[in-house]
Amino acid sequence: MAKLIPRIGSRRNGRIGSRKSARRIPKGVIHVQASFNNTIVTITDVRGRVVSWSSAGTCGFRGTRRGTPFAAQTAAGNAIRTVVDQGMQRAEVMIKGLGLGRDAALQAIRRSGILLSFVRDVTPMPHNGCRPPKKRRWKCVESRVDNKRLCYGRFILSPLIKGQADTIGIAMRRALLGEIEGTCITRAKSEKIPHEYSTIVGIQESVHEILMNLKEIVLRSNLYGTCGAFICARGPGYVTAQDIISPPSVEIVDNTQHIARLTEPIDLCIGLQIERNRGYSIKRPNNFQDGSYPLDAVFMPVRNANHSIHSYGNGNERQEILFLEIWTNGSLTPKEALHEASRNLIDLFIPFLHAEEETLHLEYNRHKGTLPPLTFHDRLAKLRKNKKEIELKYIFIDQFELPPRIYNCLKRCNIHTLLDLLNKSKKDLMKIEDFRIEDVKQLLGILEKHFTID
């Protein structure tokens, strides 16, 4: 008798013949990627495993029709239909892209009956959007001292947008070469010199060569205006910058600079005038007086300044790096020159920031301002009386640390010394452009700190 062959899948051999039941997903994440050419809808569980997906292309749309809202709505409906059958009740929506199917796909998801926890737009923002720009930074990439009268520095500033590097570079170069103050010898005087192109017995160099050597001497100082110095040497021997007897506020950068060589035992006495200014000054032919000879003064401590630009990036994200090269004569380091030029540029633009405020303040003073009971000129007259032993013409207003605006107003009116200030009446001072009554009171208070005015 033949055995009965058991059926496959019967309960007798422990196998189940029915199919596995479908996986139920109560919660998931719906990703919508809407571009201008297609819309893709992908549905995953909370672990990120893909459950269903669809796109406008798989739904039969071709060409430009794939980017239409109807194609996006159809693709979203097909993808959601599968997960609704698996019991999805709640979902989170992530939308990415700027295509036309964004809103249509979202509407199809809402009509499906799935409860949406939130809808988040994960479209990346462009570089120049909400992302803050990088902070501009400067750095000294090279610095060296070739000798006492030549220093070099190289600096970079970045990042800058296109065009900014050229604007900053041109302005900074002009400020470095023309806006920084320096000190040099502007006049030499000697009673034994008949004229500039003469020679003196016992001196190897001519008078013209001695004047040229004096012109090349590099000085560093914090003085304002002018001051005197002199040279007294006896030969035979060499006369160098070390033989210059100058005030404490003046420092000689290189004491080894050559001036003259005395070949015989004679005395060389030369009086010097030292001045602090900016730019350069050319001597005039008719400016020779009392045996003194003016020199072509080059006050600029910066000998040369160059800027170059390096560009990087593509398209709208193109940026620039500014390179600055500075050579100085040793009285200032390149870093100090850069800081000084930057401060001078800032001072030039400050009036534009306070133009409206200054105009209103000036109008107020014209109509309602009154002079103090004791006039300015009367109180300064007492200063003349109390300081008879002081030669007022040698007291410069630069020594009083006046505010920049008051100092510039007085300088524009050729008021350089305290004697010039005493010769001005209150009406003369009030006629000065941009000079206010408050400035008169402030000026009087500064002078009271330096002198006793009862």
Side-chain angles (χ1 to χ4, degrees):
M1 184 175 177
K3 285 187 177 180
L4 294 176
I5 301 174
R7 294 175 53 188
I8 298 175
S10 65
R11 295 181 181 273
R12 200 168 186 177
N13 56 7
R15 293 185 180 182
I16 301 175
S18 62
R19 291 183 178 181
K20 295 176 65 177
S21 61
R23 182 162 55 105
R24 300 190 61 83
I25 305 173
K27 185 178 180 180
V29 181
I30 303 175
H31 301 269
V32 179
Q33 184 173 355
S35 64
F36 293 101
N37 298 322
N38 198 3
T39 302
I40 303 174
V41 181
T42 305
I43 304 175
T44 65
D45 58 8
V46 293
R47 293 185 177 182
R49 294 176 294 186
V50 177
V51 179
S52 174
W53 74 277
S54 180
S55 67
T58 58
C59 293
F61 295 93
R62 296 289 181 268
T64 57
R65 295 185 61 190
R66 291 188 304 173
T68 60
F70 178 72
Q73 183 177 354
T74 304
N78 291 343
I80 292 174
R81 190 175 301 112
T82 303
V83 295
V84 169
D85 295 340
Q86 296 182 12
M88 181 174 290
Q89 300 176 356
R90 302 181 62 183
E92 302 172 357
V93 180
M94 304 289 185
I95 298 182
K96 180 180 179 180
L98 302 175
L100 300 177
R102 286 168 51 99
D103 296 337
L106 184 59
Q107 292 176 1
I109 295 172
R110 287 176 175 172
R111 286 197 297 265
S112 64
I114 297 177
L115 180 62
L116 303 181
S117 302
F118 62 84
V119 178
R120 179 178 297 172
D121 189 350
V122 294
T123 305
M125 297 296 293
H127 177 73
N128 292 328
C130 62
R131 184 183 300 177
K134 293 183 179 179
K135 185 178 180 181
R136 287 189 292 271
R137 299 182 182 275
W138 75 278
K139 182 181 179 181
C140 178
V141 295
E142 184 179 358
S143 179
R144 68 172 185 265
V145 180
D146 296 334
N147 53 62
K148 291 184 178 181
R149 288 177 286 163
L150 182 60
C151 300
Y152 171 79
R154 191 164 185 253
F155 308 89
I156 62 171
L157 176 65
S158 66
L160 300 169
I161 64 175
K162 186 177 180 181
Q164 285 184 344
D166 201 27
T167 302
I168 299 174
I170 293 174
M172 187 60 68
R173 184 177 185 272
R174 295 183 65 89
L176 285 167
L177 295 176
E179 297 294 333
I180 301 179
E181 292 185 347
T183 307
C184 64
I185 299 173
T186 58
R187 186 177 290 272
K189 180 178 180 180
S190 179
E191 298 177 355
K192 297 182 180 181
I193 301 176
H195 57 82
E196 181 181 358
Y197 298 99
S198 63
T199 58
I200 302 176
V201 178
I203 302 179
Q204 181 176 343
E205 291 82 4
S206 65
V207 175
H208 179 73
E209 291 174 342
I210 294 175
L211 295 178
M212 291 300 99
N213 292 336
L214 291 174
K215 175 184 173 181
E216 296 297 327
I217 294 177
V218 180
L219 303 175
R220 181 191 297 116
S221 73
N222 55 2
L223 63 86
Y224 293 92
T226 61
C227 69
F230 58 92
I231 300 174
C232 285
R234 182 170 179 81
Y238 291 93
V239 180
T240 61
Q242 188 175 2
D243 297 317
I244 299 177
I245 302 175
S246 60
S249 59
V250 179
E251 179 186 352
I252 301 173
V253 175
D254 187 2
N255 290 326
T256 63
Q257 285 188 260
H258 178 75
I259 297 177
R261 180 187 178 188
L262 306 181
T263 58
E264 297 182 6
I266 61 172
D267 294 328
L268 177 63
C269 296
I270 302 177
L272 305 175
Q273 177 180 294
I274 299 175
E275 182 178 349
R276 180 180 175 87
N277 209 327
R278 63 183 60 182
Y280 58 90
S281 175
I282 302 177
K283 65 180 180 181
R284 299 178 182 178
N286 58 352
N287 202 13
F288 299 90
Q289 56 185 2
D290 301 332
S292 63
Y293 302 90
L295 303 176
D296 292 335
V298 180
F299 299 101
M300 301 179 294
V302 177
R303 294 306 187 200
N304 193 14
N306 291 330
H307 80 278
S308 57
I309 301 171
H310 172 70
S311 301
Y312 63 96
N314 297 317
N316 296 330
E317 298 182 3
R318 195 168 187 82
Q319 294 183 332
E320 298 177 341
I321 300 176
L322 174 64
F323 292 86
L324 277 173
E325 294 180 291
I326 304 173
W327 290 264
T328 65
N329 62 359
S331 61
L332 284 179
T333 64
K335 186 176 180 180
E336 292 172 343
L338 185 62
H339 291 175
E340 185 69 21
S342 302
R343 284 193 294 265
N344 291 338
L345 280 178
I346 293 172
D347 292 339
L348 290 176
F349 288 105
I350 283 178
F352 294 104
L353 299 177
H354 305 287
E356 184 176 355
E357 178 183 354
E358 291 289 340
T359 303
L360 296 175
H361 204 87
L362 181 60
E363 293 294 331
Y364 176 82
N365 288 332
R366 284 180 178 177
H367 295 286
K368 297 188 178 182
T370 58
L371 288 173
L374 184 58
T375 61
F376 177 76
H377 189 67
D378 293 338
R379 300 191 70 175
L380 286 183
K382 293 187 176 183
L383 173 62
R384 182 195 292 269
K385 182 179 179 181
N386 295 341
K387 299 292 178 181
K388 292 181 179 179
E389 69 280 3
I390 300 177
E391 296 184 12
L392 299 179
K393 65 178 181 179
Y394 294 114
I395 302 178
F396 294 92
I397 63 173
D398 310 78
Q399 304 174 13
F400 300 126
E401 299 179 356
L402 299 174
R405 199 171 59 80
I406 298 178
Y407 173 79
N408 293 332
C409 290
L410 296 178
K411 283 290 186 179
R412 282 199 301 265
C413 296
N414 295 324
I415 300 176
H416 304 289
T417 64
L418 190 57
L419 182 62
D420 298 335
L421 186 60
L422 287 173
N423 292 332
K424 297 289 183 180
S425 64
K426 62 180 181 182
K427 293 182 180 180
D428 297 332
L429 293 176
M430 293 307 299
K431 289 180 182 179
I432 299 176
E433 185 180 359
D434 298 333
F435 204 76
R436 306 174 300 183
I437 296 176
E438 284 76 6
D439 299 333
V440 177
K441 298 178 182 179
Q442 187 176 3
L443 179 59
L444 184 59
I446 293 174
L447 293 178
E448 285 179 345
K449 294 180 181 179
H450 291 78
F451 304 100
T452 304
I453 305 179
D454 297 326

